[in-house]
Amino acid sequence: MALLSSRRAPSAAVPAADVPAAPGRAPPRHVAIIMDGNGRWAAARGVPRLAGHRAGVAAVRRTVEAAIAAGVGWLTLYAFSSENWRRPQEEIADLKGLLRHYLAHELAELASAGVRLHVIGERERFGAELAAALAAAEADTVANTRLDLVMALSYGGRAELVAAARAIARQAGAGGLDPAALDEAGFARHLFTAGMPDPDLLIRTSGERRLSNFLLWQAAYAELVFLDVLWPDFGAEHLAAALAEYAGRERRFGARLG
Ligand code: FPP
């Protein structure tokens, strides 16, 4: 199967003055990934889905290393969606176990590599113990600056937008906010991603071509790259291919260039 399944846009022209700077050959500041295909990877080998998820964790490890090596500043990984709670209890327990293991055994290495961990999503749904471990991991890595690694856990874009709207309505109802003064930046401050840059490049593996409720607000101008590789097989070469595709894209942010 072809590595890349997206079409290359014409090469970049001179950007207009009011358009954010074109990245040229620089790597994207923020890469977001929908890690898909663990189950199919396992099925193709006749092994339990858990083996696919375990191989998925190994791919996370490779990808973090590759992102650091490529000079990417922010990496967001869709590790568990709001919809994943509909999976069988056994698979949910397996994924929680992998997350617990990841925090217990890989955080120290991440921290020594200069990784700062952030979590977006409804972490409390994982239970008090895991939510506390996630908060501790964020606190322990807060001073690191090499890579900001954002784990989307029990994350759903629509739920995030509804929660933001609810918080804003509450604030306005209490007289703390003039609705007419609300702008995009003000709205974004109520999202899980407040203070984080928007993704420049969004990658989805496994050949599926959907956003699946991921970063609906934040990905408004992200370049989308769909790869025909299953997540457990993802590695530095696939990240490099996506970055090369990104480097050839023309980013206009709705404006006309030239
Ligand atoms: C999609 O594959 C992947 C997930 C639902 C979970 C992603 C989780 C990991 C990569 C491992 C956990 C990560 C950490 C850091 C603990 P799928 O199961 O939907 O695959 P399928 O579409 O082929 O069935």
Side-chain angles (χ1 to χ4, degrees):
M1 259 192 286
L3 191 62
L4 285 167
S5 53
S6 50
R7 279 184 298 129
R8 184 174 287 270
S11 59
V14 180
D18 59 347
V19 167
R25 295 284 149 187
R29 183 176 182 205
H30 185 173
V31 176
I33 306 183
I34 301 176
M35 308 182 289
D36 196 11
N38 296 353
R40 276 163 283 170
W41 185 93
R45 285 160 180 76
V47 296
R49 289 179 68 83
L50 175 57
H53 293 316
R54 279 208 187 104
V57 176
V60 167
R61 204 176 299 132
R62 290 194 297 274
T63 304
V64 168
E65 282 170 16
I68 291 172
V72 169
W74 288 76
L75 177 67
T76 295
L77 301 176
Y78 205 4
F80 195 97
S81 74
S82 312
E83 290 69 35
N84 286 155
W85 292 111
R86 297 189 200 131
R87 293 197 176 195
Q89 283 308 310
E90 190 190 340
E91 184 171 359
I92 291 173
D94 285 344
L95 286 166
K96 281 167 121 175
L98 282 178
L99 180 59
R100 209 172 285 119
H101 188 272
Y102 185 78
L103 291 174
H105 297 275
E106 305 211 13
L107 190 70
E109 203 177 318
L110 285 176
S112 63
V115 174
R116 177 177 177 182
L117 186 76
H118 309 255
V119 176
I120 57 172
E122 298 171 320
R123 69 179 77 185
E124 56 288 348
R125 290 188 70 180
F126 288 98
E129 189 198 325
L130 207 37
L134 289 166
E138 288 177 310
D140 289 350
T141 58
V142 74
N144 294 344
T145 56
R146 193 111 182 257
L147 176 77
D148 285 281
L149 174 63
V150 186
M151 286 285 178
L153 291 165
S154 191
Y155 174 85
R158 286 185 174 183
E160 179 184 38
L161 291 168
V162 169
R166 199 180 289 133
I168 290 164
R170 206 177 288 127
Q171 218 176 309
L177 174 84
D178 172 9
L182 181 68
D183 58 11
E184 291 182 9
F187 190 92
R189 277 196 287 278
H190 291 271
L191 300 173
F192 286 126
T193 53
M196 302 180 187
D198 285 341
D200 304 292
L201 168 63
L202 191 151
I203 301 168
R204 183 174 188 148
T205 60
S206 91
E208 303 290 347
R209 296 167 185 229
R210 288 186 296 279
L211 283 183
S212 296
N213 207 12
F214 189 43
L215 301 178
L216 296 181
W217 170 282
Q218 299 85 345
Y221 289 102
E223 295 295 329
L224 309 182
V225 171
F226 300 102
L227 301 177
D228 288 334
V229 60
L230 300 174
W231 176 252
D233 291 325
F234 191 89
E237 70 275 30
H238 302 98
L239 181 67
L243 295 181
E245 170 76 16
Y246 171 86
R249 296 274 181 95
E250 178 187 287
R251 301 191 80 200
R252 296 201 309 253
F253 299 93
R256 277 185 60 193
L257 303 181

